[in-house]
Amino acid sequence: MTDAVQLAERLAARCAARAAAYDADAAYPHDDMADLRATGLLGLLVPERLGGLGGSFADYVRVALTLAGGAPATALLFNMHASVTGALATIPEELARSLGAPDAFFEHRDVVLGAAARGACYGVAITERDAGSRLSKLTTTFAPEGDGYRVQGEKSVCSGAGYLDAYLVAARAADADQPCPPGVALAPGADETQPGDAPRVSHFLIPAGNGITVDDTWDPLGMRATASNGFTLDVRVPASALLGGIEGLAVLLAYVLPQWLVASYAAVYAGVARACVHEAVAYVERRVVAGSKGGLGDVGFVRARLGRADAQAEAACLAVAEAGRRVDAAPGDPETNRWVYRAKLLAGDAAQDAAASCAEACGLGALRRGQTLERLLRDARSGAIMPPSSDVCADVLGTAALGRDPVHGTQVRPW
């Protein structure tokens, strides 16, 4: 997948030149997304038989890391799109059929993936104002209606809302008193992973259009150019919009195959951490200390700050790469899933720690509004709180380290 990485490198340079303007206006990066479409990277994870590049999770990691070095917000939009196409393209057919997925699911999947290869862009709509991204606590509902479903609710954050071709919407069954059936082992070595009392939560791929009203008020601290507006929806969709063709799979798959809800973010924020180091090094090298023959790089504590940031960033990148390797080799394996959570924890913390260390190394001049490091510092702050947060990831890993079931062994559940 060297060609895809090279495409991403060229695109990252173009995105970097536009990032400040999009950030200032909290505007959707139309030109960046047009470039992603033109290069075919929106089809990175689409099988070649459907016109895509046939990439793996590890390929996604390398591309996302690269894009984040140019424009983190654009990389995050790419991540959301890839979370949809990657989940559809990489779920093992044997697993899908064992869960009861009908032939119609595979036909619809290919339609969705083929559209992505031709430039369709998707986003993920899970987060709600009171539930956050806890799938089991969502208030958006779905109910059978005619030969399809009616989906109603409100999402507080959705990257790219108002600019997408379709939204992957998470919703719980309107008859909430009927929980999911008890879990089943879905992968070699996996225990029962679906809490028996979890509600039936499903994902629907809903086209943009009538019934979706976007609240265009996005004006946050960081990741401003993701245009992560909220929206309300009241739509009727055909049965084919239910991903998997089976109700109640969302929470189950979030536990068993968490990579597209966890480690995909990690790749972006590991890239942000690395970008902070690169920008700080460039800034330090061009600064001269007043009244001295030397530059800022001749100051010992400045070099130490850069060194700490470099170590944190590269450790996070290695963890994300290892998670990617394991996801491709053994998806759903308990140890693979632990690496997925390790990657998210390390990347989220490394982004904000590296950004802070670099800011202290460079001083106030690098933090003026419009400076690249100032923008990266704001973008980096989101990594630890994006779902699942660093605290939640740490709880999952600590529970597993104690030899307890990370799903049933604690009252704190990530989903």
Side-chain angles (χ1 to χ4, degrees):
M1 198 53 59
T2 302
D3 289 346
V5 175
Q6 290 174 345
L7 285 173
E9 288 173 347
R10 292 195 291 271
L11 181 53
R14 291 167 60 89
C15 293
R18 300 185 286 242
Y22 284 127
D23 173 81
D25 296 337
Y28 183 76
H30 288 283
D31 291 339
D32 293 1
M33 300 309 292
D35 280 348
L36 279 168
R37 186 173 291 110
T39 59
L41 284 174
L42 291 181
L44 173 68
L45 299 161
V46 176
E48 292 181 1
R49 65 182 179 82
L50 297 174
L53 300 180
S56 66
F57 189 84
D59 294 323
Y60 160 78
V61 165
R62 288 189 284 270
V63 170
L65 278 168
T66 302
L67 290 175
T74 299
L76 199 58
L77 285 163
F78 176 70
N79 155 73
M80 299 303 182
H81 170 81
S83 294
V84 179
T85 59
L88 284 173
T90 61
I91 184 171
E93 182 169 338
E94 182 180 352
L95 168 59
R97 291 195 180 279
S98 72
L99 292 169
D103 289 340
F105 160 68
F106 299 99
E107 296 168 3
H108 185 246
R109 176 198 63 185
D110 286 357
V111 170
V112 171
L113 291 174
R118 294 188 297 275
C121 188
Y122 307 130
V124 178
I126 297 177
T127 305
E128 296 180 1
R129 193 170 306 280
D130 294 324
S133 294
R134 292 281 301 281
L135 291 165
S136 59
K137 302 298 181 182
L138 298 182
T139 59
T140 299
T141 62
F142 70 89
E145 186 171 295
D147 59 354
Y149 292 92
R150 188 173 185 179
V151 184
Q152 298 173 289
E154 182 176 353
K155 299 297 181 181
S156 59
V157 175
C158 174
S159 294
Y163 304 95
L164 303 170
D165 293 291
Y167 300 80
L168 183 68
V169 176
R172 65 185 293 156
D175 54 343
D177 293 335
Q178 297 297 317
C180 285
V184 293
L186 293 183
D191 296 323
E192 288 192 350
T193 51
Q194 172 73 62
D197 59 349
R200 295 200 321 277
V201 179
S202 301
H203 282 129
F204 293 83
L205 192 64
I206 299 177
N210 293 336
I212 297 178
T213 303
V214 175
D215 180 20
D216 190 6
T217 58
W218 179 248
D219 188 19
L221 176 69
M223 291 295 184
R224 292 171 56 79
T226 59
S228 295
N229 296 298
F231 63 85
T232 58
L233 74 162
D234 186 351
V235 299
R236 186 186 178 282
V237 294
S240 61
L242 173 65
L243 290 197
I246 311 163
E247 295 179 16
L249 289 185
V251 179
L252 178 61
L253 293 177
Y255 280 109
V256 177
L257 299 170
Q259 52 266 26
W260 291 112
L261 288 175
V262 182
S264 59
Y265 287 130
V268 173
Y269 285 99
V272 172
R274 182 179 277 172
C276 287
V277 176
H278 289 173
E279 178 59 28
V281 167
Y283 183 88
V284 165
E285 286 184 334
R286 64 177 179 261
R287 286 301 298 271
V288 176
V289 178
S292 170
K293 294 182 180 180
L296 198 55
D298 294 319
V299 179
F301 73 81
V302 169
R303 296 194 302 274
R305 287 284 178 187
L306 294 179
R308 288 189 179 92
D310 174 76
Q312 289 173 311
E314 293 310 311
C317 289
L318 286 172
V320 174
E322 177 64 10
R325 185 188 70 80
R326 287 175 177 267
V327 165
D328 288 342
D333 183 84
E335 186 60 19
T336 295
N337 291 348
R338 288 176 74 174
W339 272 101
V340 164
Y341 280 97
R342 286 169 185 150
K344 173 59 173 66
L345 173 60
L346 291 171
D349 287 356
Q352 62 179 347
D353 291 347
S357 187
C358 288
E360 292 189 42
C362 294
L364 205 54
L367 296 182
R368 293 192 182 99
R369 183 69 73 177
Q371 292 288 316
T372 300
L373 188 59
E374 182 269 342
R375 172 171 51 82
L376 290 172
L377 179 66
R378 289 186 285 104
D379 287 348
R381 189 60 189 89
S382 302
I385 60 177
M386 290 195 75
S389 69
S390 289
D391 285 339
V392 171
C393 290
D395 183 76
V396 169
L397 293 168
T399 301
L402 289 168
R404 302 175 187 175
D405 183 342
V407 177
H408 300 284
T410 174
Q411 294 302 311
V412 180
R413 291 173 178 165
W415 304 110

